[in-house]
Amino acid sequence: MKEVTGKSAKKVIQERILTEAKRLLRYTDLPVAEIVEKLSYDNDSYFIRFFV
């Protein structure tokens, strides 16, 4: 992965999740708790730390 993208697999996945989180926050009326669940985070606090 790093050879192709210049990023680790973990970084690519984190960026993809962040992109999806932004999309859900911007274009849906879903509460944060539901977005957290959809993105398979264990709790809101961890998601918020990752997102900010």
Side-chain angles (χ1 to χ4, degrees), residues 1-15:
M1 177 65 77
K2 191 163 191 150
E3 192 174 302
V4 174
T5 65
K7 301 172 186 174
S8 68
K10 181 179 179 179
K11 183 68 174 172
V12 171
I13 292 168
Q14 287 175 334
E15 288 176 355

Side-chain angles (χ1 to χ4, degrees), residues 3 5-6 8 12 17 19 21 29 33 35-36 39 45-46 49-50:
E3 192 174 302
T5 65
S8 68
V12 171
I17 291 170
T19 299
D29 291 330
I35 293 171
V36 168
L39 297 177
S45 299
Y46 184 73
R49 278 188 300 229
F50 175 76

Side-chain angles (χ1 to χ4, degrees), residues 15-50:
E15 288 176 355
R16 179 62 187 108
I17 291 170
L18 184 59
T19 299
E20 182 63 9
K22 287 179 182 179
R23 186 190 71 76
L24 290 169
L25 288 167
R26 177 170 279 180
Y27 298 110
T28 71
D29 291 330
L30 295 173
V32 171
E34 195 167 331
I35 293 171
V36 168
E37 187 176 317
K38 282 185 175 291
L39 297 177
S40 300
Y41 277 89
D42 292 331
N43 62 52
D44 298 356
S45 299
Y46 184 73
F47 171 76
I48 291 167
R49 278 188 300 229
F50 175 76

